Amino acid sequence: MTKSTELRARQTAAVPAGVSSKGIYVARAENSELWDVDGRRFIDFAAGIAVLNTGHRHPRVMEAVAQQAALFAHTCFHVASYESYIRLAERLNAVAPGDFAKKTLFLNSGAEAVENAIKIARIHTKRSAVIAFSGGFHGRTLLTMGLTGKVMPYKRGFGPFPAEIYHAEFPHAYHGVSTEQALADLDRLFHGDVDPTAVAAIIIEPVQGEGGFNVAPAEFLRALRQLCDEHGIVLIADEVQGGIARTGKMFSIEHSGVVPDLITVAKGLGGGFPLSGVIGRASIMDSAHPGGLGGTYGGNPIGIAAAHAVLDVIDAEDLFARATRVGQRMRSRLEALASDLPGIGDVRGIGSMIAFELVKDRKTKEPDAALTASILAQAEQRGLILLSCGVSANVVRLLAPLTIQDAVLEEGLDILAASLYAASGREAARAVA
Ligand SMILES: Cc1ncc(COP(=O)(O)O)c(C=O)c1O
């Protein structure tokens, strides 16, 4: 019995089945590589689900954390405040899009950031309704599950969800939903279901993460901005997965030039330490009364110290450019593979947020979840960690650390190619460069 199988048995006995995991038990990790308890090496194309944009244990992050731990680990910002929290707010206010005064609040998780963004939008507008999108994912708390537009595994059996949440169609060119159709769906919502003057917020992931790396067209985001301005609605960009340099810009919405009112961040911000935040227009952020926002651990000093180092690393190592280069390499390898493997129906994404969709037939686009699962299994056997996504679980997403070394990236892509051929029951017909 390997140590991994032993741990699997202990997990099954001690941890609820709802907490699913791949069965990889880590012993240590460095940048884009991870070694398990049995000494197996893995290349990490998951990055802890888009958290480790600066890689596992980036030396600058580790040093910042150690220095902070030597001073104080927790006081609760509401009890004894610290300069590093204020300075991180200042830094994020400065880099977030928008030529207006901004403020930032820190929390622990992505879901908590989304919950707080909705609270702020509601108290500011004195309205209650919220519009989210099909295929969107915003977290696992009751409100954020309600906002999420993907039933399995997130919503089934966990309702009822909070009231006053409406879902509109997310534009998806590959699946035939144009910007015009998505806007017509919003119009339908405004006429059939909810008066726009009752809507506090529209929340959107500019690049959907769990929903399948679907990129919202710039013209759609511009139209949302216009609708929000027209009806006094707060536009929230959920940048929990797409933010912090992942797409080649600090926030994925910057590709469209659209300026949201509020931005939620988490994952990559803490470089592996739990930290999230809401950044936004000062006039909106200041709507809540003192004591209305916050929490015991929100903006924990260790997470804040790590985030300062993450922002320093993005700057020092030019991770915006690196995200673009790594993504280009992934995309060109995938496009070459798609020319040989008909199961790959679509390759999409921006920067280093790249995914491919697996279909049984390129014409009908019938999802192939079984092939997707088989690719993940083949990759894992060969030492590559991959994640799936998509409402029909038929999309493979590539989320390597932006700091991945070229040689490790190429090795990972070679394993990906071999896994694709093996799962498709095909020999590699030719070298796919
Ligand atoms: C876009 C988006 N929002 C919110 C969340 C929830 O974040 P967390 O798991 O930290 O609560 C996620 C997590 O994957 C996400 O991708």
Side-chain angles (χ1 to χ4, degrees):
M1 197 191 242
T2 64
K3 287 182 183 163
S4 297
T5 45
E6 192 191 320
L7 282 172
R8 191 66 170 172
R10 282 175 53 198
Q11 178 178 338
T12 304
V15 180
V19 183
S20 68
S21 72
K22 281 178 166 294
I24 297 170
Y25 295 93
V26 60
R28 67 188 176 89
E30 203 72 49
N31 196 2
S32 50
E33 292 164 281
L34 182 154
W35 289 266
D36 80 353
V37 289
D38 293 303
R40 290 186 302 167
R41 168 184 175 261
F42 292 90
I43 293 173
D44 189 357
F45 275 14
I49 320 189
V51 166
L52 303 157
N53 296 355
T54 48
H56 288 276
R57 304 181 66 256
H58 192 290
R60 287 179 79 155
V61 175
M62 291 300 113
E63 197 192 317
V65 164
Q67 275 180 12
Q68 181 56 51
L71 295 175
F72 55 95
H74 175 77
T75 59
C76 181
F77 190 76
H78 309 298
V79 176
S81 314
Y82 26 96
E83 185 269 345
S84 56
Y85 182 119
I86 300 163
R87 189 161 35 92
L88 188 65
E90 289 166 347
R91 291 181 79 174
L92 291 171
N93 295 340
V95 296
D99 189 14
F100 43 75
K102 281 163 248 155
K103 294 200 174 182
T104 293
L105 148 81
F106 293 109
L107 304 140
N108 301 291
S109 67
E112 208 185 346
V114 171
E115 292 259 356
N116 277 273
I118 302 294
K119 277 172 66 176
I120 293 166
R122 281 182 169 168
I123 197 159
H124 176 73
T125 57
K126 302 185 177 59
R127 303 170 178 180
S128 54
V130 182
I131 295 178
F133 291 90
S134 57
F137 180 77
H138 300 287
R140 285 183 156 94
T141 59
L142 275 163
L143 174 62
T144 58
M145 257 192 305
L147 294 170
T148 289
K150 179 175 171 181
V151 170
M152 274 302 281
Y154 307 120
K155 298 177 80 152
R156 181 174 293 169
F158 294 125
F161 303 110
E164 291 298 304
I165 294 171
Y166 300 88
H167 283 95
E169 194 92 57
F170 188 92
H172 197 328
Y174 180 66
H175 286 288
V177 183
S178 66
T179 291
E180 292 69 36
Q181 283 166 313
L183 289 173
D185 197 51
L186 264 172
D187 196 52
R188 170 200 60 80
L189 211 60
F190 284 159
H191 284 94
D193 293 323
V194 60
D195 184 342
T197 62
V199 177
I202 295 182
I203 182 164
I204 187 162
E205 296 162 86
V207 184
Q208 286 190 332
E210 306 301 306
F213 283 23
N214 310 313
V215 182
E219 64 267 24
F220 183 70
L221 294 171
R222 280 196 290 271
L224 287 188
R225 178 70 273 174
Q226 217 176 335
L227 278 173
C228 287
D229 290 342
E230 193 182 325
H231 299 292
I233 298 169
V234 174
L235 180 61
I236 305 172
D238 185 346
E239 295 275 355
V240 167
Q241 191 154 157
I244 317 295
R246 172 55 55 188
T247 67
K249 295 199 184 279
M250 188 60 85
F251 305 103
S252 63
I253 198 161
E254 290 177 72
H255 292 278
S256 70
V258 169
V259 177
D261 298 304
L262 304 181
I263 296 176
T264 54
V265 281
K267 292 187 183 278
L269 178 64
F273 294 84
L275 183 70
S276 69
V278 183
I279 309 160
R281 248 178 222 280
S283 56
I284 298 177
M285 294 293 288
D286 272 335
S287 303
H289 44 268
L293 305 174
T296 305
Y297 287 108
N300 171 271
I302 305 276
I304 295 271
H308 277 292
V310 164
L311 297 184
D312 293 343
V313 169
I314 289 173
D315 204 26
E317 301 183 18
D318 195 4
L319 292 189
F320 296 147
R322 183 76 190 141
T324 307
R325 271 204 308 281
V326 167
Q328 278 165 350
R329 189 65 194 131
M330 287 173 166
R331 186 184 276 277
S332 69
R333 283 291 296 262
L334 285 169
E335 281 168 356
L337 285 162
S339 69
D340 202 35
L341 292 168
I344 301 178
D346 191 32
V347 177
R348 58 178 179 256
I350 323 184
S352 276
M353 206 170 167
I354 299 291
F356 55 98
E357 177 157 348
L358 295 145
V359 292
K360 292 185 179 160
D361 180 306
R362 279 192 179 170
K363 276 214 179 75
T364 64
K365 298 176 182 168
E366 189 187 340
D368 200 340
L371 177 60
T372 309
S374 171
I375 292 164
L376 263 56
Q378 291 286 346
E380 196 174 308
Q381 270 175 32
R382 291 168 166 80
L384 175 68
I385 304 178
L386 290 177
L387 294 173
S388 63
C389 60
V391 177
S392 306
N394 67 322
V395 180
V396 176
R397 52 178 153 172
L398 307 186
L399 284 166
L402 309 177
T403 47
I404 190 169
Q405 308 93 319
D406 286 339
V408 180
L409 173 63
E410 292 305 323
E411 190 186 345
L413 291 172
D414 287 343
I415 298 175
L416 176 63
S419 309
L420 269 160
Y421 278 106
S424 309
R426 292 266 309 274
E427 288 289 313
R430 55 192 161 82
V432 180

